[in-house]
Amino acid sequence: MSVIIILLCVSLAVAIFFLAAFIWSVKDGQYDDDYSPAHRMLFDDKTSKE
C-alpha cells in the first residue's frame, strides 16, 4: 500500500513540474507566433556559394 502512495506522490510531482514548464514557456512567448515559422522556410532565398 505504501508503494501506491509513493507512486502517487512521484506522479504528482512530475505533473506539477510539466505544468510549471508549460506555464513558463507560455509566459516566455514560445507560442506567440505559430504562423510564420512554417512559411519562413518557403521564402528563404539565400543560396550557398560553391
Side-chain angles (χ1 to χ4, degrees):
M1 185 69 181
S2 64
V3 173
I4 293 174
I5 294 172
I6 292 170
L7 288 175
L8 183 65
C9 292
V10 170
S11 65
L12 282 175
V14 170
I16 289 171
F17 170 74
F18 279 108
L19 179 65
F22 176 73
I23 290 171
W24 176 65
S25 67
V26 168
K27 285 185 177 181
D28 197 38
Q30 292 286 323
Y31 301 107
D32 285 348
D33 187 16
D34 59 347
Y35 179 73
S36 66
H39 295 276
R40 189 179 311 146
M41 68 177 198
L42 297 174
F43 301 110
D44 190 18
D45 292 335
K46 294 181 182 177
T47 59
S48 63
K49 296 180 180 178
E50 294 181 6

